């Protein structure tokens, strides 16, 4: 680096090199006995300049920005004439000095190439005498074509999780710890950007629950500053001595999931490129306690050397050409590292990244020059044909942007989900805002929430779901789909969020008219005759709930609906057979088999399926409760359910909804009555909480082994921004 300044060749005049024609500021008058400095060769020129002007580290001062030769005269271009420059010019007969404010030291342009694995430095508001270092993860482009760099979220904040750090500069690669230096020396290129989105983990409750799964990521986006150039590559640190980490890299082409049991690599400013192994364990933990906050990801065990260390935070973790995560943390003693998984972080943050520059112009067609020596007319004809063929080939090979998502106008209950269809694995961005309403919607509109946005990922078949706004009202939505080929046109649709009156009416009717049937059902359960009790209760439902959905007796509802009551239940109530969660699915055909599946929930809950038969009104009833009364906390968490019918067509989407089991201090008590009997209307105390719904639902048994939050213990610490005191 020390000699990589802008130099004129001996074949050029000094005037041309300095851009000043023949304008020079003459040095002191030459004495007859003054020697001449040797500038007869390129090597002699460099020796003369560095020997007389370089500092003790071998670097030229920033005031010396140019030097060259005119005839036999050494010409210096400086921003100001320092004492050392003046002494040098007066010492030799053939040294002239040109003073111009433009002539300050430059930096190699390559040092502004941003790649994964490089170090960057930050200021700490809480400690002005310190600076901190983290590592870049991956450089790419967002959905709008802007340059971004991904890194760890905890690098953007200080220990309190709130105070934001300031990005100062890139770290000088040749001085970094990965290159054998002490690190913390600024590269002099300026701040590579400013913080955009950043999130450092979720809080953890005293009983070991993740407070907010959407925040359980360690992920940040740096919005790249002008003058920097992104390269979708990760440095291997072999060219650190040149201070250009982009000269030797691994190209990154996509974001993907880690492969358990396989080798994996990391690049960071402290330990450089290292290799480890992704833990391959069917009971592998999904969360780690990183500095007191829950972070979703996966564990990597060390290879021959330590996989990561302080200052590697945010560094690129990849398998082949696939980006899979950024370094989040690990124990002081080493042995393993925790990686924040990139696909999950992007999904939860709603951010996107592509590793193909959307702003790059396609290469031009040079076929028109192929027949340069031929007749001009023939050459033009050939060029036209070649160009046409090239365009045809380009059109055939270029991937097409996805079609606009297919989403219909839809009505959902509070807590319901929006569904749609697009290309497989596409990122779907949904934006919404309340719309004006009148008539029967006016009251709903008054409660409508503010506008918002969310990004979700379609499954392998192109289906996607998203939670509807929590407030009742009518919302105008737009949806776009993004793949590696580009972003689709938008689809517009409306979503009406309705108050869950149907569920309340059904529950009231069931409580008023079916207490005896509920008691009979409960007794039948106790005697092992669940099926008979369920049938009796279903028959009673046909009478008591016939009008709960607004239809006349004996008619199927006009619209399919799902109601869940309660949507939030305390753990202590959830383990009582008479106080579980009741789910009504309406809008099916009489006698149709209706299936409910728990598609997501606490560990070991996913995949539970229940089957019921729709009654004369097209309503199927389900009940879910827990059986581990000795430890209700194993059921804590959110449960997502899907309901489908045996006669569903391809155009009919599953009904979706959710409920949550919460700690007792947060719950609503399960809906017990005020008279102190907890809703048991029969003398024997075996009533069903005011409902005649059958208790043939999922008994969530045997979850104690894994239903709680899987969190690594207190040995985990943040591989944080390595600090260095300035004094």
């Amino acid at each position: 680096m020390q000699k990589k300044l802008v130099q004129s060749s001996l074949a050029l005049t000094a005037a041309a090199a300095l851009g000043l024609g023949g304008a020079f500021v003459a040095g002191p008058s030459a004495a007859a006995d003054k020697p001449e400095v040797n500038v007869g060769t390129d090597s002699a020129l460099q020796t003369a300049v560095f020997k007389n002007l370089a500092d003790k580290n071998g670097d030229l001062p920033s005031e010396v920005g140019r030097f060259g030769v005119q005839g036999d005269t050494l010409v210096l271009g400086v921003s100001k004439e320092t004492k050392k420059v003046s002494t040098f010019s007066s010492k030799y007969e053939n040294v002239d000095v040109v003073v111009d404010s433009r002539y300050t030291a430059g930096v190699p342009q390559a040092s502004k190439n941003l790649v994964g694995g490089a170090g960057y430095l930050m200021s700490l508001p809480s400690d002005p005498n310190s600076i901190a270092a983290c590592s870049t993860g991956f450089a790419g482009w967002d959905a709008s074509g802007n340059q971004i760099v991904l890194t760890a979220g905890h690098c953007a904040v200080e220990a309190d999780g709130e105070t934001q750090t300031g990005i100062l500069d890139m770290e000088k690669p040749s001085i970094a710890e990965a290159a054998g230096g002490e690190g913390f020396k600024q590269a002099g290129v300026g701040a590579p950007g400013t913080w955009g989105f950043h999130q450092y983990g979720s809080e953890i409750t005293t009983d070991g629950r993740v407070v907010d799964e959407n925040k359980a990521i360690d992920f940040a986006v740096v919005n790249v500053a002008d003058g920097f150039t992104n390269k979708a590559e990760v440095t291997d640190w072999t060219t650190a001595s040149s201070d250009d980490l982009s000269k030797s890299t691994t190209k990154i082409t996509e974001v993907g999931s880690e492969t358990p049991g396989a080798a994996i690599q990391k690049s960071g400013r402290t330990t450089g490129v290292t290799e480890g192994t992704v833990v391959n364990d069917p009971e592998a933990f999904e969360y780690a306690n990183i500095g007191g906050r829950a972070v979703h990801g996966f564990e990597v065990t060390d290879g021959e050397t330590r996989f990561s260390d302080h200052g590697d935070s945010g560094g690129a973790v990849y398998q082949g050409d696939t980006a899979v995560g950024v370094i989040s943390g690990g124990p002081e003693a080493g042995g393993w590292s925790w990686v924040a998984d990139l696909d999950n972080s992007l999904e939860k943050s709603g951010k996107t990244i592509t590793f193909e520059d959307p702003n790059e112009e396609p290469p031009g067609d040079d076929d028109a020059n192929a027949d340069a020596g031929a007749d001009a007319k023939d050459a033009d004809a050939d060029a036209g044909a070649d160009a046409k063929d090239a365009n045809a080939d380009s059109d055939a090979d270029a991937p097409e942007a996805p079609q606009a998502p297919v989403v219909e106008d839809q009505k959902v209950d509070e807590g319901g989900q929006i569904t749609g269809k697009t290309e497989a694995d596409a990122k779907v961005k949904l934006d919404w805002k309340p719309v004006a309403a009148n008539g029967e919607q006016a009251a709903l509109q008054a409660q409508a929430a503010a506008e918002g946005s969310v990004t979700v990922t379609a499954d392998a078949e192109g289906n996607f779901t998203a939670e509807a706004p929590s407030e009742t009202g009518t919302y105008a939505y737009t949806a776009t789909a993004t793949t590696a080929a580009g972003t689709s046109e938008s689809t517009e649709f409306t979503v009406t969020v309705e108050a869950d009156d149907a569920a309340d009416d059904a529950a009231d009717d069931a409580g008023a008219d079916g207490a005896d049937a509920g008691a009979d059902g409960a007794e039948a359960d106790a005697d092992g005759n669940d099926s008979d009790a369920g049938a009796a209760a279903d028959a009673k439902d046909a009478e008591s709930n016939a009008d709960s959905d607004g239809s006349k007796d004996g008619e199927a509802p006009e619209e399919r609906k799902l109601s869940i009551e309660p949507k939030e239940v305390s753990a202590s109530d959830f383990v009582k057979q008479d106080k579980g969660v009741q789910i009504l699915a309406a809008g099916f055909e009489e006698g149709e088999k209706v299936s409910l599946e728990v598609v997501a929930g606490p560990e070991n809950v996913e995949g539970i399926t229940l089957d019921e038969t729709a009654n004369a009104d097209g309503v199927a009833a389900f009940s879910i409760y827990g059986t581990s009364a000795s430890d209700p906390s194993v059921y804590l968490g959110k449960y997502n359910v899907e309901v489908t019918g045996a006669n569903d067509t391809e155009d009919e989407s599953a009904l979706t909804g959710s409920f949550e089991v919460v700690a007792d201090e947060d719950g609503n008590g399960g809906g017990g009555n005020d008279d102190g009997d907890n809703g048991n209307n029969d003398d024997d105390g075996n009533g069903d909480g005011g409902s005649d719904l059958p208790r043939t639902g999922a008994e969530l048994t045997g979850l104690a082994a894994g239903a709680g939050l899987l969190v690594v213990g207190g040995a985990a610490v943040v591989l944080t921004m390595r600090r260095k005191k300035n004094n």
Side-chain angles (χ1 to χ4, degrees):
M1 163 76 179
Q2 67 179 14
K3 296 185 181 179
K4 298 296 183 180
L5 294 179
V6 179
Q7 302 174 10
S8 60
S9 169
L10 290 178
L12 298 175
T13 66
L18 299 177
L20 294 175
F24 294 97
V25 177
S29 299
D33 57 351
K34 278 187 180 181
E36 290 188 354
V37 65
N38 180 12
V39 291
T41 65
D42 221 5
S43 176
L45 168 65
Q46 295 184 35
T47 298
V49 172
F50 281 92
K51 180 179 179 180
N52 289 279
L53 298 177
D55 60 23
K56 62 181 180 180
N57 294 322
D59 295 327
L60 288 179
S62 61
E63 293 84 6
V64 180
R66 308 285 193 275
F67 57 88
V69 175
Q70 184 179 39
D72 294 328
T73 300
L74 187 159
V75 183
L76 292 174
V78 298
S79 58
K80 67 179 181 179
E81 189 168 355
T82 63
K83 182 178 180 180
K84 182 175 282 190
V85 169
S86 179
T87 300
F88 176 48
S89 64
S90 63
K91 181 178 178 181
Y92 296 100
E93 182 178 356
N94 61 332
V95 176
D96 285 332
V97 177
V98 179
V99 180
D100 191 298
S101 60
R102 294 175 302 161
Y103 296 148
T104 58
V107 294
Q109 188 61 37
S111 66
K112 285 198 170 185
N113 289 336
L114 298 178
V115 295
Y120 60 96
L121 303 176
M122 293 153 293
S123 61
L124 303 174
S126 65
D127 189 356
N129 292 321
S130 293
I131 59 175
C134 273
S135 301
T136 57
F138 300 96
W141 295 263
D142 65 15
S144 300
N146 301 313
Q147 293 188 137
I148 57 173
V149 170
L150 307 185
T151 186
H154 72 255
C155 293
V157 297
E158 292 204 61
D160 59 7
E162 299 294 336
T163 306
Q164 186 168 320
T165 62
I167 304 176
L168 291 174
D169 201 342
M170 297 300 293
E171 184 179 35
K172 190 177 179 67
S174 59
I175 309 298
E177 292 177 71
E182 295 183 357
F184 299 97
K185 182 173 183 179
Q186 296 186 38
V189 297
T194 57
W195 292 116
F197 175 90
H198 56 276
Q199 176 61 42
Y200 168 32
S202 167
E203 294 180 351
I204 306 173
T205 64
T206 55
D207 58 355
R209 288 191 300 122
V210 175
V211 172
D212 189 340
E213 292 183 4
N214 289 324
K215 291 185 177 181
I217 57 178
D218 193 358
F219 174 75
V221 176
V222 176
N223 298 319
V224 174
D226 292 340
F228 288 83
T229 301
N230 271 14
K231 292 183 175 294
E233 303 163 12
V234 173
T235 182
D236 63 11
W237 281 92
T238 60
T239 60
S241 61
S242 71
D243 285 321
D244 184 359
L245 294 175
S246 68
K247 287 182 177 179
S248 182
T249 59
T250 296
K251 185 173 178 57
I252 300 298
T253 63
E254 63 180 351
V255 173
S257 300
E258 72 281 1
T259 301
I264 193 166
Q265 289 182 298
K266 176 236 82 223
S267 180
R269 53 81 59 194
T270 304
T271 56
V273 174
T274 56
E275 184 172 300
T277 303
V278 181
V279 169
N280 186 15
D281 185 343
E283 297 182 358
F285 296 148
E286 294 182 22
Y287 297 91
N289 173 2
I290 303 299
R293 302 182 73 83
V295 174
H296 191 280
F298 60 92
E299 180 181 339
V300 174
T301 56
D302 291 349
E304 294 182 1
T305 59
R306 187 170 182 177
F307 190 69
S308 65
D309 204 341
H310 294 281
D312 284 327
S313 284
V317 180
Y318 53 101
Q319 288 178 310
D321 62 356
T322 301
V324 297
V326 298
I327 291 294
S328 178
E332 289 283 357
W336 58 269
S337 297
W338 190 258
V339 179
D341 44 352
L342 192 57
D343 51 355
N344 176 71
S345 296
L346 289 167
E347 179 182 353
K348 294 296 173 61
S349 66
K351 302 302 175 182
T352 61
I353 189 170
T354 179
F355 299 116
E356 292 292 335
D357 186 355
N359 309 302
E360 189 174 75
E361 293 292 334
D365 181 26
D366 295 327
D367 289 343
N369 297 324
D371 298 327
D375 179 80
K377 184 176 180 179
D378 291 340
D380 289 342
D382 290 342
D386 288 342
K388 184 176 181 180
D389 291 342
N391 289 336
D393 291 341
S394 176
D395 291 342
D397 296 338
E400 295 183 359
Q403 297 292 321
V406 177
V407 195
E408 303 293 336
D409 293 346
Q410 46 198 285
K411 294 182 179 180
V412 298
D413 289 334
E414 294 172 294
Q417 291 188 313
I418 301 164
T419 60
K421 187 87 172 180
T422 185
E423 288 194 13
D425 303 318
K427 300 287 186 182
V428 182
K429 186 173 186 291
L430 300 165
D431 298 287
W432 68 88
K433 60 183 178 181
V435 297
N438 51 45
E440 65 179 10
Q441 290 296 323
L444 293 179
Q445 182 56 45
Q447 303 177 50
E451 62 187 54
S453 178
V454 69
T455 299
V456 297
T457 303
D459 62 20
E461 297 179 353
N463 300 307
F464 66 87
T465 61
E467 290 189 7
S470 59
E471 300 293 339
T472 56
T474 301
Y475 301 82
Y477 267 77
T478 60
T480 56
T482 299
T483 64
T487 300
S488 72
E489 295 183 357
S490 62
T491 296
E492 297 183 355
F493 61 100
T494 61
V495 173
T496 301
V497 180
E498 298 180 327
D500 201 3
D501 294 335
D504 294 341
D505 292 344
D508 291 343
D509 290 345
D513 301 330
D516 292 340
D520 293 342
E523 292 170 359
D525 281 347
D527 295 334
N529 298 321
D530 285 357
S531 299
D532 293 340
D538 279 346
K540 189 67 177 179
D541 277 347
E543 298 175 3
S544 62
N545 292 329
D547 298 327
S548 65
D549 51 24
S551 63
K552 296 180 181 179
D553 289 348
E555 291 184 357
E558 295 181 358
E559 183 180 359
R560 301 212 313 184
K561 293 183 179 179
L562 187 70
S563 59
I564 301 176
E565 180 64 28
K567 286 189 172 64
E568 183 178 292
V569 60
S570 66
S572 61
D573 279 350
F574 188 63
V575 295
K576 298 176 182 177
Q577 186 174 349
D578 61 339
K579 285 192 175 184
V581 174
Q582 303 177 39
I583 301 176
L584 291 178
F588 296 88
E589 298 177 11
E590 180 180 1
E592 181 179 359
K593 178 183 175 182
V594 181
S595 299
L596 178 148
E597 181 180 3
V598 180
V599 295
E603 188 76 11
N604 299 332
V605 173
E606 295 89 337
I608 292 178
T609 301
L610 304 174
D611 294 323
E612 290 293 338
T613 301
N615 64 15
D617 296 305
V619 178
F622 302 88
S623 182
I624 299 179
Y625 58 93
T627 59
S628 181
S630 62
D631 187 10
S633 65
V634 299
Y635 301 110
L636 294 173
K638 185 176 181 180
Y639 298 74
N640 293 333
V641 300
E642 287 186 357
V643 176
T644 56
N647 301 337
D648 284 0
T649 65
E650 292 183 356
D651 296 331
E652 289 179 306
S653 301
L655 295 175
T656 59
S658 62
F659 64 89
E660 185 170 8
V661 180
V662 299
D664 285 358
E665 62 269 22
D666 299 326
N668 61 9
N673 296 332
D674 294 334
D675 58 8
D677 66 357
N678 294 323
N680 299 325
N681 298 326
D682 294 336
D683 293 338
D684 58 8
N686 292 324
D688 61 2
S691 170
D692 63 354
L693 294 175
R695 290 295 172 183
T696 57
E699 297 184 359
L700 303 181
T701 309
L703 299 182
L709 169 66
L710 301 178
V711 180
V712 176
V717 298
V718 175
L719 290 183
T720 186
M721 308 165 287
R722 171 161 282 185
R723 302 186 180 197
K724 181 179 181 181
K725 292 285 185 180
N726 289 330
N727 52 9

